[in-house]
Amino acid sequence: VQDIGKEWYVEPTRRDEFRAILKREGVVHDFVSEIYRHKTRERIWITESARLVRDKKTGEPLFYEGSVREITETVKKLRAEELLQKLSNQVPGGLFQFSRSGTGEFTISYLSEGFRKLTYYDGDAGQFPPTLFSDLVHPDDRKTFLASLRDSGVKMQPWELEFRVAKGQEERWLRVTAVPEAVGDGIVWHGYISDLSARKRNEMEIEKLAFYDALTGLPNRRMFMDRMSKAVSTCREEGHCSAVIFIDLDNFKTLNDTRGHDVGDEYLVQVASRLKNCVKDQDTVARIGGDEFVVILSRIGDTHAEASRAAIMAANRVLDAMRSDFEIRQFKHRSSASLGVVVFGDGDAQPDEILKRADIAMYQVKASGRNGVALYDHLSMSAESDRYRLLNDLKAAIANDALELHYQPQVD
């Protein structure tokens, strides 16, 4: 008892600490020390457990007995994990490792602190539910997320995806990059996530400037034409009908001239709000000019007649909304609008041509006294179409200085 070999311990004080515990408590549990291996002097780590045996009569210490277990690999692993933790804490993103067994069960083996912060995960470290990943993903992105992960496992190709996570009103865009590794009958993904929120905000701001009207927040002409193209293609592929309503506000110039542009702008904002309330979420309301708005009514009928009835009903709702008084800066403005409606889906007309037809129908309403709805019909509006084209040609000629004026002398 008095002669524990102090030459064993890398730190000589560990010998005295071991003896002190034995003397005080009579037992030592899992006493960890770094020691020199006998003969080779290799440095290894051990854990000791021992008890002191005393003389039954005198109580004098006789010897101690116990066990020594080498834990060098365990210590190396713990040090490696500690080093990994320190390194991962310095990485701006988050590291993770999870696996899928041959039976399809998921197990998460590692999540760095950065991962937890980025995903708003505040659960217990080391006890991760198998559905953690899919639970964290925004519901709107969950289907794509799971399909992308499944595809990576089937093809054994790198997994890359941009998705959202949310907590309350907070939302982040993240990008995941991971490499799958076949292990036995399962797969292990080693990956990294990074925060894309700033880039996404910039992209959305750029998109907003490029595709949305700055005043009303509605899609602009460029976005409208893109959605029109998609609507026309969808109608041809699926065999149903949609419609366009062209809306021109009556006497808007008078309001601007008498009340000022700031009042006119506020009126346009209120018009945009009312138009959105008149249609469904799947429909598109856009502002394509100063006082010109358009609405795309998607999938409103399987036949032209059915779609025409639905389009007229929607146009009448818009007309009623425009006829109600607008309260703008302590005064009421009574207004109206002229609407042109075109149903499409059973022909091969292009988006530009459909919009032109809606404009022609709207022009017919203007010519007949405004404040009404006209449904475009090719036969009944042939004269209006000719007049529309003539007016457009004259406008273009004036803009291009293509008209000349000649005086014919009259002689008495």
Side-chain angles (χ1 to χ4, degrees):
V1 175
Q2 304 300 325
D3 188 26
I4 299 173
K6 60 183 179 181
E7 70 277 4
W8 292 354
Y9 297 93
V10 175
E11 287 288 339
T13 57
R14 295 297 285 169
R15 171 179 176 268
D16 294 331
E17 292 172 11
F18 185 83
R19 290 176 62 187
I21 296 173
L22 268 178
K23 184 178 181 180
R24 182 178 66 252
E25 300 180 12
V27 65
V28 175
H29 294 293
D30 297 323
F31 188 82
V32 177
S33 303
E34 188 179 17
I35 69 167
Y36 295 106
R37 194 187 295 277
H38 184 55
K39 293 185 179 180
T40 65
R41 304 300 288 174
E42 174 192 358
R43 290 168 65 156
I44 63 173
W45 286 88
I46 63 165
T47 175
E48 298 176 86
S49 295
R51 72 183 185 92
L52 185 63
V53 179
R54 297 178 180 273
D55 186 282
K56 293 182 179 180
K57 294 181 179 180
T58 64
E60 290 295 317
L62 298 176
F63 57 88
Y64 73 91
E65 61 184 7
S67 63
V68 179
R69 183 166 59 92
E70 183 179 352
I71 58 169
T72 305
E73 292 303 319
T74 302
V75 171
K76 287 181 179 179
K77 182 179 178 182
L78 290 173
R79 283 183 169 179
E81 290 178 355
E82 182 182 2
L83 178 61
L84 176 62
Q85 188 68 37
K86 289 180 179 179
L87 290 173
S88 64
N89 288 342
Q90 303 305 313
V91 175
L95 302 174
F96 66 86
Q97 184 183 74
F98 70 94
S99 59
R100 186 184 68 196
S101 67
T103 58
E105 296 176 347
F106 283 91
T107 303
I108 299 171
S109 52
Y110 178 75
L111 298 179
S112 71
E113 187 62 27
F115 182 99
R116 297 163 65 89
K117 290 178 180 178
L118 285 179
T119 58
Y120 303 109
Y121 179 65
D122 55 3
D124 293 336
Q127 296 182 353
F128 309 116
T131 58
L132 170 64
F133 276 78
S134 57
D135 292 343
L136 292 172
V137 177
H138 193 285
D140 293 345
D141 297 342
R142 197 167 291 161
K143 184 177 179 181
T144 304
F145 180 91
L146 294 174
S148 174
L149 176 60
R150 190 182 308 112
D151 189 59
S152 171
V154 170
K155 299 178 180 178
M156 290 303 290
Q157 294 179 350
W159 179 35
E160 295 184 1
L161 182 69
E162 294 180 4
F163 61 95
R164 290 168 293 171
V165 294
K167 181 179 181 181
Q169 298 300 316
E170 294 184 58
E171 183 179 286
R172 284 198 185 109
W173 274 96
L174 303 178
R175 176 182 177 82
V176 60
T177 303
V179 177
E181 176 189 4
V183 178
D185 63 346
I187 303 173
V188 177
W189 279 270
H190 314 273
Y192 172 76
I193 62 168
S194 55
D195 191 350
L196 298 180
S197 301
R199 196 199 81 189
K200 281 291 183 179
R201 282 194 295 268
N202 291 336
E203 288 178 355
M204 287 187 284
E205 187 63 28
I206 292 171
E207 180 184 5
K208 187 176 180 180
L209 293 172
F211 296 104
Y212 291 86
D213 175 51
L215 176 64
T216 62
L218 296 177
N220 59 16
R221 177 181 284 271
R222 185 176 178 184
M223 173 69 84
F224 166 76
M225 295 307 296
D226 179 69
R227 293 190 180 179
M228 267 296 296
S229 297
K230 293 178 181 177
V232 170
S233 299
T234 302
C235 286
R236 290 174 185 164
E237 293 169 1
E238 300 180 3
H240 58 247
C241 293
S242 296
V244 167
I245 304 176
F246 193 107
I247 304 158
D248 186 273
L249 304 177
D250 297 331
N251 302 315
F252 176 69
K253 185 176 184 302
T254 303
L255 176 66
N256 254 348
D257 292 343
T258 57
R259 294 289 186 171
H261 289 281
D262 53 340
V263 172
D265 287 349
E266 190 168 335
Y267 169 59
L268 292 175
V269 171
Q270 291 189 30
V271 167
S273 177
R274 291 191 185 188
L275 289 177
K276 288 191 291 185
N277 290 333
C278 290
V279 298
K280 300 176 182 177
D281 292 338
Q282 68 189 36
D283 301 326
T284 296
V285 179
R287 182 190 178 203
I288 61 171
D291 62 340
E292 295 177 337
F293 295 81
V294 283
V295 176
I296 303 175
L297 303 173
S298 302
R299 298 179 176 88
I300 56 172
D302 295 328
T303 65
H304 193 279
E306 183 182 346
S308 296
R309 287 193 297 269
I312 291 298
M313 290 177 62
N316 284 325
R317 288 197 300 271
V318 170
L319 205 59
D320 289 340
M322 295 301 104
R323 287 170 177 165
S324 300
D325 289 348
F326 289 82
E327 294 188 6
I328 307 173
R329 300 194 178 184
Q330 299 179 347
F331 79 92
K332 292 184 178 181
H333 173 63
R334 177 160 294 182
S335 181
S336 63
S338 301
L339 280 60
V341 179
V342 176
V343 175
F344 61 91
D346 53 357
D348 56 358
Q350 298 300 311
D352 286 337
E353 181 62 29
I354 295 172
L355 184 62
K356 187 185 295 184
R357 291 174 183 176
D359 197 4
I360 291 171
M362 182 277 299
Y363 185 83
Q364 185 185 45
V365 177
K366 288 280 189 185
S368 60
R370 305 180 181 181
N371 191 19
V373 179
L375 178 66
Y376 180 86
D377 177 71
H378 179 68
L379 296 177
S380 64
M381 292 192 178
S382 57
E384 291 295 341
S385 298
D386 293 340
R387 180 183 176 90
Y388 178 87
R389 282 192 290 271
L390 177 60
L391 284 174
N392 277 349
D393 289 345
L394 284 172
K395 290 176 183 178
I398 294 171
N400 296 325
D401 199 21
L403 295 178
E404 294 182 3
L405 179 61
H406 295 270
Y407 292 93
Q408 179 182 358
Q410 294 183 355
V411 180
D412 187 349

